[in-house]
Each structure stands twice: as C-alpha cells, then as structure tokens.
Amino acid sequence: MKSILAFVSLACAVAAIPAQSPLLVNEPIDADFHVDGFDIDLSSRRLVQMEGQPPVWMTELDKIETKAQGLKFFDITDAPDLGSSARLRVQQSFPTPNATEQVKGVLKTLSTDGPIENLEKFSSFRTRYYRSDTGRQSQQWLASKISKITEASAPESLQNLITQTEFSHSWGQNSIIVRINGSAPVDEGIVIISAHQDSTNMWPFLPAPGADDDGSGTVTILEAYRALITSDFRPVQHVEFHWYSAEEGGLLGSQAVAKDYEARSANVIAQSQFDMTAWVKRGTKEEVGIITDYVDSGLTDFNKKLVDSYLEIPYVETKCGYACSDHASWGKAGYPSSFTIESTFENSNKNIHSANDRIDVSDEFSFTHMLEFSKLAVAFAIELGGWTKSD
Ligand SMILES: *[C@@H]1O[C@H](CO)[C@@H](O)[C@H](O)[C@H]1NC(C)=O
Ligand SMILES: *[C@@H]1O[C@H](CO)[C@@H](O)[C@H](O)[C@H]1NC(C)=O
Ligand SMILES: [Zn+2]
C-alpha cells in the first residue's frame, strides 16, 4: 500500500488530474479500481525483467510505478523464453550502400503532407494506451489508413504482393504488419522497419496524445511506405513495416511478434526502429541520434552510412539504455536490430508520457526533421531489400 500512495502523489505532481479522476479521492487504490474505457487489472501479476537482474513478479500497479520512476524493462510474462534460439544465429554482415539512383528517385517523392495530416489525427485520440478503448480505436484508424494508402498508391500488380495483417494480442490493441513480398524464393530474408503505435501518460488513465512518442515514428515509416509503393518498389527480400502495440507496457507487442518469428525460424536479416523522430531542441543543431547500446554494431554502422549518403543532416551517437524501445525485442531474439532517434537522448523531447506530448506544444516539433527519418527508412528498405525489375 505504501508504494501505491507514493505513486499517487507522484502522478499528481506530474500532471493535471481531471476532475473525475479517482486519484483525487485520497484513498489507496484497491483491487476493484476501475476507470471507464480501460481494461486494466492493477492487481494482476506480471513478470518483469530489468537490466542485470533476475526477473521479478510484481503487480501491474507496481509495474506502472516502476516505469514512472524511469526504470526500463521487458515485461516477459507472455514471452519468457524469447531468444532461446538466439545463439544459433549466424552473424550478418551489411553491404556498402550502392543503390543510389533508386533511393534518390524515391526520396524525391517524400512529403510532409501525409505525416502532418496523419499525425494530427493520430495524436487526437485521448490516449492510445494499449489497454484502452481509444487505444483500440486508434489502431483501427491506423490499419484503415494504411490499407487506403496501399489501394491509392500501389500499382495493381504490386498490390498483389502486399499483405496487411493484424497480429492479435490479448489486450485488444493489435500490432499491424504490412509485408511487400520479395522475389527471392530461396533464402526469404526479412527486412523490418518499425515504430510503436501506443502511447501512455505516466499515470495511464490520463490523456496521452503521444505526438512524438511514438506518433512521429508511426507516420514517419508510413510516409516511407507510401513513397516506396508509389514508386513500384519490388524488393528481392521481403520488406515489412511493423506498428507495435504496447511498447509502453514493457515491449509487449514487439516481444510477441519476435517470439512468433523466432518460433517459425524466420530469417530476419535486419530490423530498424523509429521511436521519436520529431523534436529539435531549441539551440541545438539538427542531427539523427544513432543508438549504440543494445544494438547490432554492424547494422548500426550501416545506418551511419545511410545517413551520410542520403540525409541532409549528420548523425550523432547516443545511448538509451536497456529495453528502451522495440529493437530490444529483436535483439533479445538474436536478430540484427538498430534504433535511430530524433537527437541525442539527452536533447530528446521531455514532454513525452504527459498530456503535453503534442504537435503544437512548441516549434521544436518539426515535420521537416521527421522527413529525414522517412529518408532513412526508404534507404534502409531499398539498400537491404534490394530492388528487382517490376513486371
Ligand atoms: C550493389 O552491390 C551488390 C553487391 O554487394 C550488387 O549485388 C548489386 O547489384 C549492386 N547494386 C547496384 C544498384 O549497383
Ligand atoms: C509471399 O511469400 C510467401 C512465401 O514466403 C507466400 O507464402 C505468400 O503466399 C506470398 N504472398 C503474396 C501476397 O504473394
Ligand atoms: Zn516510445
């Protein structure tokens, strides 16, 4: 109980509490705690893995409090064995970027129009919390947006190679997977470009527009997808775009997906996470933050080459710690994973996980900055996916 009360005061300190919030009632939260529109059992027990420690069982409420304190973790309740075959995987090497003409052709077609329109809508849901009704609605909106873009942008013969699926989760908000089938029938390598669709407030029942975290990554990779299919992109490898649910719940969605791929012995050759791509802190110069801890170093070097070859801005190395975004799930499964972010971790957006993670909070929120990350995603898809002639 003590920890519960401590958390309630913490939550009150960090955000304005709406009038109807049970937090205003100065009582401990009991097992029947309920807020309309949310399906959370705060007393349910979860298995949580933090850096360098054996996994520990804790309640959902303790897990929320742990996150609010800034600690990072995997919630491994549903995927305790993720990575059990990781040691069997052979080390991949990555090429020197050389598809210059094809990449530059697609880069020319990128625009901030779609990202602006899409993010205005996506950040207008009260919250995209993975256990909320609006989290489910935002996911349905995103799925329908993606399929409209496929229909409107991909030539018909390419549409036959594209599949969009919902990867179901027990909590209601599903992950979304879009795949452009490659032409290589034998080795069937998979290239994954990803972002997380859910948002959260430090106290999950409060509003969480999540414009930067990770609405920005969500629309960044969607714009890359739109531009690629508009150009009739025909990869050799399978190229997939993933929008994960429940990153904020301890990487739940990406772990479930990675577990499924691992169980099927899928040959994931590279994964690139885009989580927060919009913020340029006042007084700093515009850069791409390349995360160097808990990532594949070869793939990370490859990303640096892509930035040098195709972006208008330089990269800067930075670190974000253990289990800090969905690339960590792929890394745990033994697949080459990487993560790029809006700036150094220190200069990144400090409004996240609050009601202020909004587009209009400051002119530090930049759609042209986001577009540089769409360029990176396009280059990643073409340089690693290959490009055959269209039929
Ligand atoms: C790039 O290099 C690879 C070999 O690493 C080759 O297979 C491919 O055809 C080259 N692509 C272009 C566009 O030159
Ligand atoms: C994509 O490729 C897989 C084999 O990897 C095949 O089973 C599937 O039918 C293909 N889908 C489409 C839409 O071509
Ligand atoms: Zn995030």
Side-chain angles (χ1 to χ4, degrees):
M1 270 326 162
K2 191 162 149 260
S3 67
I4 293 172
L5 288 169
F7 176 66
V8 170
S9 55
L10 168 65
C12 290
V14 297
I17 309 295
Q20 292 82 12
S21 168
L23 292 179
L24 275 187
V25 184
N26 201 9
E27 280 170 14
I29 295 163
D30 63 25
D32 300 327
F33 180 85
H34 175 79
V35 177
D36 279 348
F38 290 80
D39 181 17
I40 312 179
D41 176 359
L42 289 175
S43 61
S44 70
R45 296 182 69 73
R46 308 293 308 179
L47 188 58
V48 167
Q49 173 121 56
M50 281 176 268
E51 184 171 22
Q53 291 171 29
V56 286
W57 285 99
M58 60 172 72
T59 64
E60 184 75 50
L61 182 61
D62 283 335
K63 194 182 103 177
I64 290 166
E65 184 183 6
T66 300
K67 186 176 172 73
Q69 287 167 351
L71 293 168
K72 292 165 182 170
F73 52 79
F74 289 94
D75 177 337
I76 63 167
T77 317
D78 304 324
D81 299 329
L82 179 63
S84 48
S85 63
R87 72 199 151 72
L88 303 176
R89 274 183 249 294
V90 288
Q91 181 126 25
Q92 305 263 356
S93 63
F94 299 94
T96 301
N98 67 350
T100 314
E101 232 172 276
Q102 286 158 323
V103 172
K104 289 195 168 164
V106 178
L107 296 191
K108 278 193 295 215
T109 70
L110 290 170
S111 160
T112 56
D113 294 352
I116 291 172
E117 188 188 322
N118 295 335
L119 192 52
E120 277 174 356
K121 174 67 184 178
F122 203 51
S123 61
S124 73
F125 292 90
R126 183 179 179 275
T127 179
R128 301 189 304 272
Y129 192 67
Y130 65 105
R131 288 186 172 278
S132 69
D133 291 350
T134 51
R136 172 75 180 149
Q137 289 154 16
S138 65
Q139 179 247 299
Q140 287 165 337
W141 177 83
L142 180 61
S144 124
K145 183 49 124 185
I146 297 165
S147 60
K148 280 181 196 147
I149 285 175
T150 304
E151 273 168 44
S153 311
E156 215 170 300
S157 58
L158 176 58
Q159 282 188 35
N160 296 332
L161 299 175
I162 298 176
T163 45
Q164 178 175 337
T165 50
E166 286 198 17
F167 189 102
S168 294
H169 302 295
S170 59
W171 50 84
Q173 181 193 64
N174 295 331
S175 295
I176 301 171
I177 295 177
V178 173
R179 164 162 161 147
I180 309 173
N181 254 22
S183 61
V186 187
D187 62 355
E188 292 195 1
I190 302 171
V191 175
I192 298 172
I193 291 165
S194 56
H196 72 87
Q197 52 171 296
D198 63 311
S199 69
T200 191
N201 197 307
M202 216 172 288
W203 179 237
F205 306 98
L206 293 172
D212 197 10
D213 185 13
D214 182 20
S216 62
T218 295
V219 304
T220 292
I221 68 168
L222 183 54
E223 174 61 10
Y225 171 69
R226 186 202 61 76
L228 284 163
I229 62 173
T230 302
S231 299
D232 201 13
F233 173 47
R234 299 300 176 105
V236 178
Q237 313 292 346
H238 302 307
V239 172
E240 298 187 352
F241 290 80
H242 293 190
W243 287 269
Y244 301 119
S245 170
E247 188 265 359
E248 305 287 7
L251 316 182
L252 291 169
S254 55
Q255 283 185 84
V257 174
K259 178 181 153 181
D260 178 68
Y261 281 48
E262 183 180 31
R264 293 191 283 110
S265 301
N267 179 24
V268 176
I269 56 178
Q271 180 265 346
S272 179
Q273 175 78 354
F274 293 80
D275 189 355
M276 299 167 63
T277 60
W279 198 255
V280 183
K281 185 180 174 182
R282 196 160 297 120
T284 66
K285 77 173 191 223
E286 223 184 307
E287 292 167 326
V288 170
I290 296 207
I291 300 289
T292 58
D293 57 338
Y294 299 100
V295 292
D296 182 274
S297 61
L299 187 58
T300 297
D301 285 343
F302 176 77
N303 261 331
K304 291 177 187 170
K305 291 181 194 160
L306 294 181
V307 173
D308 285 341
S309 305
Y310 297 119
L311 272 59
E312 305 294 321
I313 57 177
Y315 67 80
V316 59
E317 293 188 355
T318 188
K319 293 181 177 173
C320 74
Y322 181 79
C324 72
S325 192
D326 296 305
H327 63 292
S329 299
W330 293 99
K332 194 175 186 198
Y335 293 116
S337 68
S338 61
F339 175 22
T340 47
I341 186 170
E342 58 204 11
S343 62
T344 60
F345 194 67
E346 296 69 33
N347 289 338
S348 65
N349 192 341
K350 297 297 180 281
N351 298 307
I352 63 164
H353 302 171
S354 85
N356 277 333
D357 185 4
R358 301 195 322 263
I359 295 172
D360 60 1
V361 73
S362 156
D363 60 8
E364 292 158 291
F365 199 104
S366 166
F367 282 93
T368 52
H369 190 53
M370 280 168 59
L371 211 60
E372 294 297 313
F373 289 83
S374 295
K375 292 180 187 173
L376 187 57
V378 164
F380 193 89
I382 297 174
E383 292 286 3
L384 291 177
W387 192 329
T388 62
K389 287 202 191 76
S390 41
D391 51 36

